[in-house]
């Protein structure tokens, strides 16, 4: 429950959390929790709900002059977290994927999400790893599904690096260049929630379409 409250509180006021971390941990050690949040979101299949997009954006804002973070360091730390997280997820699936899925203990791995990712892999191949980087929940499951047999490690690594660098660069640099705009400063929490909403929208739309299609097929 405390963990869920942390996620909700962070989404509500990420500036306060980041500022507190910078003050408490200093300009070097502050990168440790930043790395861990992104690594765990992408690398551990049971934590798909961590606030990756909003954390990247807020960190970009704090990487501007006087914010306490360094832009190059922020980008490098998040690149490493995103790429290593997906790599960890892939190998977890390679060794334990079938047992995890068959156990049914990871409730987030619903048949609907599995089918959706199968469709993505069939249609887009390796680009699935890049596309799903920008889709919360699915970016956590895509490397897991890839590791269960959809992709060899060399091909996965190529798309993993492309996707990780693209995802991190987009959100961090948007925060860096636009975070100081007065409108953004005055409506920071709303914008962060908007980023989350836009990111989640494709997954929600896909789930709704899948439910409607299943209901239609059942009625027929």
């Amino acid at each position: 429950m405390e963990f869920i409250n942390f996620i909700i509180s962070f989404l509500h006021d990420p500036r306060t959390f980041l500022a507190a971390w910078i003050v408490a941990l200093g300009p070097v050690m502050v990168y440790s929790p930043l790395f861990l949040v992104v690594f765990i979101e992408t690398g551990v299949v049971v934590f798909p709900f961590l606030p990756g997009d909003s954390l990247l954006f807020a960190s970009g804002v704090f990487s501007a002059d006087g914010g306490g973070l360094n832009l190059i360091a922020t980008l490098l730390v998040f690149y490493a977290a995103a790429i290593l997280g997906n790599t960890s997820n892939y190998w977890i699936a390679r060794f334990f994927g079938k047992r995890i899925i068959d156990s049914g203990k990871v409730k987030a791995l619903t048949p609907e999400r599995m089918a959706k990712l199968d469709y993505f892999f069939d249609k887009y191949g390796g680009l699935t790893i890049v596309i799903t980087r920008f889709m919360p929940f699915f970016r956590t499951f895509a490397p897991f599904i890839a590791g269960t047999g959809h992709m060899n490690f060399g091909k996965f690594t190529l798309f993993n690096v492309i996707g990780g660098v693209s995802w991190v660069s987009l959100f961090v640099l948007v925060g860096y260049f636009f975070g100081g705009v007065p409108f953004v400063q005055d409506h920071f929490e709303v914008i962060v929630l908007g980023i989350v909403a836009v990111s989640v929208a494709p997954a929600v739309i896909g789930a709704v379409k899948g439910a409607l299609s299943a209901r239609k097929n059942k009625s027929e």
Side-chain angles (χ1 to χ4, degrees):
M1 191 64 182
E2 290 183 6
F3 187 70
I4 294 175
N5 289 334
F6 161 74
I7 300 299
I8 294 172
S9 298
F10 182 89
L11 290 174
H12 176 69
D13 191 6
R15 282 184 297 187
T16 298
F17 273 88
L18 272 178
W21 287 349
I22 292 171
V23 171
L25 300 174
V28 177
M29 292 304 297
V30 69
Y31 290 104
S32 297
L34 301 184
F35 176 93
L36 284 174
V37 170
V38 172
F39 177 85
I40 292 172
E41 183 199 9
T42 57
V44 184
V45 74
V46 295
F47 290 109
F49 45 79
L50 289 175
D53 295 338
S54 53
L55 179 63
L56 296 180
F57 175 77
S59 297
V61 174
F62 277 83
S63 296
D65 291 342
L69 299 179
N70 176 272
L71 177 62
I72 301 301
T74 299
L75 287 170
L76 291 177
V77 166
F78 283 137
Y79 289 155
I83 293 168
L84 292 175
N86 262 21
T87 302
S88 169
N89 207 335
Y90 177 95
W91 285 108
I92 288 173
R94 177 63 67 90
F95 290 112
F96 309 109
K98 190 175 187 304
R99 275 182 281 177
I100 291 173
I101 293 171
D102 291 345
S103 71
K105 293 181 179 179
V106 182
K107 303 302 181 184
L109 282 170
T110 63
E112 292 79 11
R113 288 194 181 117
M114 299 282 285
K116 186 71 173 177
L117 283 166
D118 284 337
Y119 167 78
F120 268 111
F121 275 107
D122 289 340
K123 185 173 183 179
Y124 301 110
L127 284 175
T128 298
I129 302 299
V130 179
I131 295 169
T132 54
R133 274 290 187 183
F134 300 87
M135 302 168 64
F137 295 99
F138 286 110
R139 69 167 154 259
T140 302
F141 303 134
F144 184 87
I145 301 302
T148 60
H150 280 79
M151 196 178 302
N152 67 63
F153 184 63
K155 183 178 181 181
F156 169 80
T157 299
L158 171 64
F159 289 104
N160 180 25
V161 171
I162 294 172
V165 170
S166 300
W167 176 56
V168 169
S169 297
L170 175 64
F171 283 98
V172 170
L173 293 178
V174 166
Y176 178 80
F177 286 113
F178 297 101
V181 175
F183 178 83
V184 175
Q185 290 290 334
D186 294 339
H187 302 86
F188 194 86
E189 289 78 14
V190 175
I191 290 172
V192 167
L193 290 175
I195 289 172
V196 174
V198 170
S199 300
V200 172
V204 173
I205 293 171
V208 171
K209 285 184 177 179
L212 292 175
S213 177
R215 182 177 297 179
K216 182 179 179 182
N217 293 336
K218 187 176 181 180
S219 63
E220 290 177 352

